[in-house]
Amino acid sequence: MAGKLTLVGTPIGNLGDLSPRARRALEEADFIAAEDTRVTLKLLNHFGITKPLVSYYQHNKERSGERIVERILSGENCALVTDAGMPIVSDPGEDLAAAVDRELREETGLRLRLRVWGEGREAEALCSEATEAVKAALERIEETAGDNAFTEITAERALERAAWAEKELAAGRLAGPLAGVPMALKDNICTRGVSTTCASRILAGFRPPYDATLVERLEGAGAVSLGKLNMDEFAMGSTSETSFLGPVRNPWDRKRVPGGSSGGAAAAVAARSSWYAIGSDTGGSIRQPAAFCGVTGIKPTYGTVSRYGLIAYASSLDQMGPLARDAADCAAVLDLVMGRDPRDGTSLDVPAGGLLAALTGDVRGLRIGLPRECFGEGLDSAVRACVLAAADVLRDRGAELVPL
């Protein structure tokens, strides 16, 4: 007889917000599975729960997802910690994936991407639920309005776009991992007919007559934009407090800053009001807020992504890039937007695609540098411990750590 699978949504903000139902599920499980083991360990320690913890990786189904399924089908009870935002319980029986999928839809009105089941199920979910995904995202934006992550919300336009994506997917004219997925753009990226202000009163009312190349490529892949994201004015800052529309708040603790200048993008992804976001980075404006908000952010190599349509800060350094929940989501976005653009003379003629497929989880032989000066005076001890713990995981999997 199969064991019971319990999906536990991690609370945003105070760990004490975890419902009694979810806490009971953690206590009763034989083992706990999680994608973000750092947050899960913090959650378990908060409640004094000691259980075996198994990590899973959405890009490596064979090494993680199937192993977890096998344990459940052999009779063990598993609590799977997700970002669903609420505790969900199901008795899967024979068809585990279908039961989990059904339970999610009944409880949330949305087929969340339960990544552990692989790419095929993600495609099916997106094909039938794009409109529901946008509605859920818009509700989440309203719930987290205190974060002040958005400068403009294009709800009507997003719903129309989602309905179009559903029809195109159903007809087979649109495909891909991000088709129909809600996302948002930093407010210094030009979007045809949509307010683009750089969070400054100077540009209030400016609606560009054209789309940035990155926006064109995302829309060609079926992306659904929810609106524009708050930032430091003209991207000049590192806390997202200089916006004319008011400061962005860190969704984990609104008394803290989210970093900047792409603070709205990081906050929206962290609060689960946007599946992924596009920011810009000149000297850390994607990477730093991603770290502050506990998400993944990548500044691509200069020239990888066309700068056409990005309102410049320092043209010889600026790059647009993704912020998402993990490296795999960032890779999926970059696969779509990278490559040569004749409208940007600095763009590189690099082959598009292949980044997501290259994430096999195999780090054997990879050399990873640890700069000594980054671990000196002034570094918070908790940050130091987390970084070195991550380095230890990579070393245990076959990577070589090289002090620099």
Side-chain angles (χ1 to χ4, degrees), residues 1-6 23-33 44 49-54 68 71-80:
M1 180 179 177
K4 182 170 70 174
L5 174 67
T6 307
R23 180 178 175 180
R24 186 168 61 252
L26 293 173
E27 293 171 340
E28 294 176 352
D30 294 310
F31 71 101
I32 296 169
L44 297 178
I49 299 172
T50 304
K51 291 293 176 72
L53 180 62
V54 176
I68 293 170
R71 292 183 64 171
I72 296 170
L73 294 179
S74 70
E76 292 187 75
N77 296 326
C78 172
L80 178 62

Side-chain angles (χ1 to χ4, degrees), residues 75-387:
E76 292 187 75
N77 296 326
C78 172
L80 178 62
V81 178
T82 73
D83 56 13
M86 63 176 66
I88 303 163
V89 180
S90 63
D91 291 302
E94 294 182 358
D95 192 348
L96 186 61
V100 171
D101 185 71
R102 180 172 59 256
E103 184 76 10
L104 280 168
R105 284 187 286 120
E106 289 174 356
E107 293 285 340
T108 68
L110 166 67
R111 281 191 190 177
L112 297 175
R113 291 185 301 162
L114 188 55
R115 302 176 185 179
V116 71
W117 308 123
E119 295 180 0
R121 297 202 60 75
E122 292 177 21
E124 177 187 340
L126 295 173
C127 179
S128 59
E129 303 292 344
T131 301
E132 283 75 8
V134 169
K135 289 179 179 177
L138 292 172
E139 290 176 3
R140 184 62 182 161
I141 291 171
E142 184 176 351
E143 291 170 358
T144 58
D147 298 340
N148 200 29
F150 284 78
T151 58
E152 180 161 336
I153 302 164
T154 54
E156 184 176 346
R157 182 170 176 156
L159 289 168
E160 291 175 355
R161 175 78 177 171
W164 170 84
E166 286 183 0
K167 292 178 181 178
E168 294 298 296
L169 283 162
R173 292 188 294 267
L174 188 63
L178 299 178
V181 176
M183 50 79 66
L185 299 157
K186 188 175 179 179
D187 199 20
N188 61 347
I189 300 171
C190 288
T191 44
R192 184 193 302 271
V194 177
S195 176
T196 304
T197 71
C198 290
S200 175
R201 185 176 182 179
I202 295 172
L203 290 180
F206 173 56
R207 298 181 182 274
Y210 66 96
D211 284 322
T213 297
L214 174 143
V215 174
E216 290 178 348
R217 291 176 176 176
L218 285 175
E219 291 205 342
V224 179
S225 176
L226 299 165
K228 307 302 281 290
L229 295 162
N230 208 352
M231 55 184 283
D232 280 300
E233 188 174 14
F234 286 107
M236 297 180 183
S238 57
T239 62
S240 297
E241 294 178 293
T242 64
S243 168
F244 173 69
L245 297 170
V248 183
R249 306 296 184 186
N250 192 313
W252 295 100
D253 182 349
R254 287 179 179 164
K255 296 187 294 294
R256 300 178 185 270
V257 300
S261 62
S262 303
V269 174
R272 310 312 190 217
S273 57
S274 181
W275 265 246
Y276 66 96
I278 301 295
S280 66
D281 192 312
T282 305
S285 288
I286 288 175
R287 295 159 290 170
Q288 185 246 35
F292 277 31
C293 291
V295 300
T296 300
I298 295 177
K299 179 186 182 180
T301 299
Y302 186 78
T304 300
V305 177
S306 169
R307 290 182 296 106
Y308 180 79
L310 172 67
I311 297 176
Y313 176 9
S315 293
S316 59
L317 297 170
D318 295 341
Q319 274 287 276
M320 288 180 282
L323 295 94
R325 291 181 292 182
D326 54 34
D329 280 359
C330 285
V333 176
L334 278 178
D335 276 344
L336 296 177
V337 300
M338 63 191 295
R340 176 72 176 165
D341 176 17
R343 294 174 292 189
D344 177 5
T346 64
S347 62
L348 300 174
D349 190 11
V350 293
L355 296 178
L356 181 59
L359 290 177
T360 64
D362 186 0
V363 297
R364 290 174 296 180
L366 190 67
R367 301 178 75 233
I368 299 174
L370 294 175
R372 292 185 181 92
E373 61 267 28
C374 291
F375 295 89
E377 184 179 355
L379 177 64
D380 186 282
S381 59
V383 173
R384 177 189 177 92
C386 286
V387 172

